[in-house]
Amino acid sequence: MEHDHSSFGLSRRQFMTAAGVGTILGAGALIAPPRAAAAGLTLPRLPYAPGALAPYISARTISFHYGKHHAAYVRKTDRMARAMGLSRKSLPELVKLAARDPKKKALFNNASQAWNHAFYWQSMTPGGGGAPRGKLAQKVKADFGSFGSFKKAFAAAAAGQFGSGWAWLVLDGGKLKVTATANAGSPLVTGQRPLLTIDVWEHAYYLDYQNRRGDYIKAFLAHLVNWDFAARNLG
Ligand code: FE
């Protein structure tokens, strides 16, 4: 299968389910849902138990962030996509087409937030942190000078994003870069391939860290970041 960075390391089956574009029955039998009962977008499963990232991110934060915020983005995207006759589109397709149409700003905000959050949950893992290995480690060294320089750049982008948004490690024209996007912004619409993200909306850290965004970023890098996921996205 052609590598599709939009599927962010989910298996094809998981991605198809998450994107609501088809249902797989048994081994490899792909069928499209009947038109009258389109599967719709569904909230992807959290890849670990809600308390698995504690003490760095509490089960209470996850219960609101995943169970309320992320769920609402998915629900609103699904409702809007159906109303616009776009319920057959995958989530990345919705993000990209809405980004091109100023009249679809609300759809973009919700679809992109739905995609970003699914990518964010995958960007963390219990017992994560540390340093990348293998090809990704070499690429980080080549493009940032050192792993320490990458961490500084990533933490600065995450801390420096004014208001709500996201910091990213992306592949851009063959080079790794650190970027930040405001609100629901997404590298999917700028032709960059996301490898990793951190959510710096206050709802991501306020219950655990209050206003100390820097401490949340430090904990993310030291204890949570899923380098295997980033390596899979590098391909
Ligand atoms: Fe969030």
Side-chain angles (χ1 to χ4, degrees), residues 127-144 146-151 154 169 176 195-196 220-222 224-234:
R133 295 188 305 265
K135 182 179 155 190
L136 179 56
Q138 289 165 14
K139 187 87 181 123
V140 165
K141 190 153 190 267
D143 294 344
F144 293 100
S146 68
F147 178 56
S149 301
F150 156 76
K151 282 201 288 189
F154 189 83
L169 172 62
L176 293 180
L195 304 194
L196 203 66
F220 177 93
L221 284 167
L224 298 175
V225 56
N226 185 347
W227 285 115
D228 291 339
F229 174 66
R232 286 199 298 278
N233 290 322
L234 180 62

Side-chain angles (χ1 to χ4, degrees), residues 65-66 69-70 73 113 116-117 120-121 165-166 199-204 216:
H65 198 183
Y66 171 73
H69 293 280
H70 187 185
Y73 292 130
Q113 283 293 83
N116 288 356
H117 280 89
Y120 168 65
W121 305 126
W166 304 79
D199 185 344
V200 293
W201 285 57
E202 279 190 346
H203 65 219
Y216 158 66

Side-chain angles (χ1 to χ4, degrees), residues 2-229:
E2 188 192 342
H3 180 74
D4 177 1
H5 63 77
S6 303
S7 64
F8 50 77
L10 293 178
S11 71
R12 183 163 179 82
R13 175 184 180 148
Q14 287 171 313
F15 178 66
M16 296 294 275
T17 304
V21 294
T23 304
I24 293 176
L25 296 178
L30 179 65
I31 59 159
R35 195 166 282 276
L41 296 172
T42 53
L43 182 64
R45 277 175 66 100
L46 197 63
Y48 31 73
L53 304 181
Y56 309 109
I57 295 179
S58 65
R60 186 167 147 76
T61 289
I62 300 276
S63 75
F64 283 100
H65 198 183
Y66 171 73
K68 303 287 183 194
H69 293 280
H70 187 185
Y73 292 130
V74 172
R75 200 169 54 242
K76 288 177 189 171
T77 302
D78 187 55
R79 193 185 305 147
M80 282 187 256
R82 283 172 193 273
M84 294 173 184
L86 298 171
S87 59
R88 313 285 291 187
K89 300 285 184 191
S90 71
L91 189 52
E93 284 171 338
L94 290 174
V95 171
K96 289 173 193 171
L97 73 84
R100 292 192 295 266
D101 184 348
K103 293 195 294 291
K104 292 189 170 61
K105 184 74 181 163
L107 176 64
F108 173 79
N109 285 339
N110 283 282
S112 191
Q113 283 293 83
W115 194 91
N116 288 356
H117 280 89
F119 195 82
Y120 168 65
W121 305 126
Q122 303 270 324
S123 294
M124 299 184 287
T125 190
R133 295 188 305 265
K135 182 179 155 190
L136 179 56
Q138 289 165 14
K139 187 87 181 123
V140 165
K141 190 153 190 267
D143 294 344
F144 293 100
S146 68
F147 178 56
S149 301
F150 156 76
K151 282 201 288 189
K152 267 192 201 147
F154 189 83
Q161 173 54 43
F162 184 76
S164 297
W166 304 79
W168 306 84
L169 172 62
V170 300
L171 191 66
D172 184 356
K175 276 201 111 174
L176 293 180
K177 284 183 189 162
V178 162
T179 63
T181 57
N183 302 319
S186 168
L188 292 186
V189 300
T190 48
Q192 298 164 318
R193 181 194 300 182
L195 304 194
L196 203 66
T197 196
I198 180 171
D199 185 344
V200 293
W201 285 57
E202 279 190 346
H203 65 219
Y205 60 88
Y206 210 85
L207 291 175
D208 298 325
Y209 297 89
Q210 291 76 52
N211 60 326
R212 292 174 284 114
R213 186 192 285 189
D215 289 348
Y216 158 66
I217 297 164
K218 255 188 229 163
F220 177 93
L221 284 167
H223 304 288
L224 298 175
V225 56
N226 185 347
W227 285 115
D228 291 339
F229 174 66

